[in-house]
Amino acid sequence: MAQTVQTTYGSASAGDPYTPTGGNGGYTAEHYDLTLDYRVITNRLNATAIITAQALMRLDRFSLDFAGLSVEKVTVNGARPTKITHSARKLVISLAATIEAGAVFEVVVRYRGAPHPVHSAWGDVGWEELDDGVLVSGQPCGAATWFPCNDHPGDKASYRITIACESSYTVVSNGVLSARSSRSGRTKWTFDVREPMATYLATVLIGRYRRRDLAAAPVAHSLYFPARLATRVGTDFARLTEMIAFFADRFGPYPFASFSVVVTDDELEIPLEAHGLAVFGSNHVDGEHGSDRLIAHELAHQWYGNSLTVARWQDIWLQEGFACYAEWLWEEQRGGRTADALAALHRGRVAALPRDIVVGDPGAHDMFDDRVYKRGALALHAIRKSLGDEAFFAALRAYTAARRFGQVSTDDFVEFFSEHTGSRAIGGFVDRWVLERALPSL
Ligand SMILES: [Zn+2]
């Protein structure tokens, strides 16, 4: 019998039904080193991505998510692939030499073009030109519009992001600004993200921003904003230090090296969270604390979403429900309505809506539905009421510590909280508020 030569391919999907074409099988990304040379005026990008990955199986071929830009050259471990196929969303690389399971390999992709958003079920996502600058909104599938990647929250990696552009602009990205140098009217900015980061939370913000550093504790935090909004931003973010300290007390230490807020000159439909960052539009600052709720929400995502990240999108209530509950906690803390009053109010509002989704698996189309946010928050409030404040917040701090920088799921949450608190009621609360359609009483 002739020996069969087995060829193995990493599948071109992470297998998440919410983003069926997103992510890739067969390997895990360990580090992205991105060098972007960008012209704001013409929206032209010349870039190199060096991706360090580990094979999870024997690989003769694998794929990356990559959309809208032209690939100039690819090497894998220094060698040219035998074949490269670039479709609308995937870069498929056939290897000259098989990579063995467990081996670490390096992919270099040189690429260029005019980056632009891609259409998705949730609107346009990705690299987007502002009136005078750039914004990247990656959730859930926009990362591939500016770098080749394994675009799924289940595969986090560390990053170095270097961006050069016209010196008249300020560049903000994730992590710590580790170098900056200028030459011939262009400035190069280098950012290091040492903690594992999900692809959708990688971002670049370019604009004519002023920077104001706020306190260095509990974590260094800064504001970036257009000069015309200085007064309003100063007022609206005056309590940010206090808010970080409050959440650190309730949720455990702030997870990353810094926190930055960017307020764009453009209006934005909704604020965005990114790893170590929150982004607001000019319409979100009114100089009267009108966006306190949104500031609390985006800040809370640093713990729930960015440090503790869902392994599959269906569990997104573990990010949005928690961020929504953080809004209520903050309002209670600053002497507004209590979480109890807010829970009653929102339960009433949810009661007026159809009960046609399961919050713990709402379907791709409804993953950002308000009921996911509100019933998720209500589940947490019900658990808090049953445990009492001391036990509830102790469990929350233990949970964010135990799952720091990792992946979370609904089952894991129930198991962790049940074990940590010794309460047998946790699973029931999650069942009623998150996994069943009927709406329970508070
Ligand atoms: Zn959110």
Side-chain angles (χ1 to χ4, degrees):
M1 212 170 118
Q3 193 187 2
T4 44
V5 179
Q6 202 170 352
T7 7
T8 49
Y9 306 131
S11 81
S13 165
D16 189 325
Y18 282 41
T19 50
T21 60
N24 306 275
Y27 67 92
T28 170
E30 292 185 342
H31 182 75
Y32 292 90
D33 186 343
L34 310 175
T35 304
L36 315 177
D37 191 60
Y38 182 67
R39 282 177 201 278
V40 180
I41 307 300
T42 53
N43 188 39
R44 296 303 292 182
L45 177 66
N46 259 297
T48 304
I50 305 174
I51 304 156
T52 310
Q54 184 176 29
L56 299 174
M57 59 192 285
R58 196 164 184 264
L59 287 177
D60 292 305
R61 190 173 78 181
F62 67 95
S63 54
L64 290 157
D65 297 289
F66 197 38
L69 296 164
S70 303
V71 174
E72 298 218 299
K73 188 181 176 186
V74 177
T75 61
V76 179
N77 290 334
R80 299 293 286 263
T82 53
K83 193 177 164 198
I84 298 165
T85 316
H86 194 190
S87 60
R89 296 280 177 99
K90 290 283 176 188
L91 179 62
V92 182
I93 298 169
S94 301
L95 297 164
T98 300
I99 296 170
E100 296 302 329
V104 173
F105 60 102
E106 187 183 86
V107 189
V108 179
V109 182
R110 257 186 25 214
Y111 58 98
R112 65 192 303 167
H116 55 269
V118 288
H119 304 301
S120 79
W122 310 274
D124 285 358
V125 291
W127 185 286
E128 191 183 324
E129 284 184 87
L130 297 173
D131 271 351
D132 190 15
V134 165
L135 162 94
V136 173
S137 61
Q139 193 177 25
C141 55
T145 62
W146 63 287
F147 65 102
C149 55
N150 188 26
D151 196 8
H152 190 268
D155 190 13
K156 294 186 185 181
S158 59
Y159 285 69
R160 167 166 283 186
I161 303 171
T162 302
I163 304 144
C165 75
E166 297 92 321
S167 295
S168 48
Y169 293 93
T170 298
V171 176
V172 188
S173 187
N174 312 97
V176 174
L177 177 64
S178 55
R180 185 175 64 179
S181 60
S182 297
R183 216 179 106 198
S184 314
R186 293 179 64 75
T187 301
K188 190 163 87 175
W189 311 68
T190 300
F191 300 86
D192 282 299
V193 183
R194 294 185 184 91
E195 317 88 15
M197 172 166 85
T199 43
Y200 82 89
L201 294 167
T203 194
V204 175
L205 294 135
I206 303 177
R208 299 184 192 270
Y209 298 129
R210 271 195 199 171
R211 172 180 171 165
R212 185 184 301 159
D213 293 330
L214 302 177
V219 66
H221 49 295
S222 310
L223 307 173
Y224 294 85
F225 52 89
R228 72 177 179 93
L229 299 175
T231 309
R232 281 198 265 164
V233 167
T235 304
D236 286 2
F237 291 91
R239 296 192 193 120
L240 185 60
T241 308
E242 187 194 333
M243 194 189 282
I244 297 171
F246 172 64
F247 285 168
D249 182 65
R250 293 297 188 277
F251 305 153
Y254 178 85
F256 308 124
S258 64
F259 180 65
S260 298
V261 167
V262 178
V263 179
T264 61
D265 208 14
D266 294 49
E267 297 195 350
L268 300 180
E269 205 179 312
I270 46 164
L272 306 164
E273 79 269 22
H275 187 100
L277 281 161
V279 185
F280 299 86
S282 57
N283 51 313
H284 297 126
V285 292
D286 58 6
E288 293 173 9
H289 295 283
S291 291
D292 241 34
R293 182 180 74 76
L294 300 175
I295 297 167
H297 182 104
E298 303 309 330
L299 175 62
H301 272 311
Q302 303 305 323
W303 285 263
Y304 307 108
N306 306 5
S307 174
L308 281 67
T309 310
V310 293
R312 46 182 195 173
W313 287 114
Q314 75 170 63
D315 292 324
I316 192 152
W317 79 274
L318 290 169
Q319 305 188 168
E320 298 304 348
F322 280 64
C324 179
Y325 195 55
E327 300 170 18
W328 302 356
L329 293 175
W330 175 246
E331 182 164 343
E332 182 172 73
Q333 166 69 7
R334 68 173 178 80
R337 290 166 292 184
T338 61
D340 247 351
L342 288 161
L345 171 75
H346 288 293
R347 191 205 168 275
R349 287 187 184 164
V350 171
L353 299 170
R355 301 209 238 297
D356 56 359
I357 63 164
V358 172
V359 165
D361 189 4
H365 181 265
D366 290 323
M367 72 190 248
F368 299 110
D369 188 285
D370 197 49
R371 288 166 290 179
V372 172
Y373 293 54
K374 297 301 181 334
R375 283 185 69 148
L378 285 160
L380 293 174
H381 191 64
I383 294 169
R384 176 183 170 193
K385 296 280 283 179
S386 109
L387 293 174
D389 278 11
E390 203 175 312
F392 174 75
F393 288 110
L396 212 47
R397 286 189 291 272
Y399 173 62
T400 55
R403 299 293 178 266
R404 193 169 186 234
F405 307 149
Q407 252 81 37
V408 291
S409 69
T410 301
D411 286 350
D412 170 69
F413 170 77
V414 170
E415 204 176 301
F416 186 94
F417 257 66
S418 304
E419 209 162 281
H420 191 272
T421 61
S423 164
R424 290 199 197 140
I426 307 293
F429 287 118
V430 171
D431 282 349
R432 289 191 290 280
W433 288 101
V434 175
L435 299 176
E436 292 164 12
R437 281 188 167 83
L439 185 66
S441 318
L442 270 167

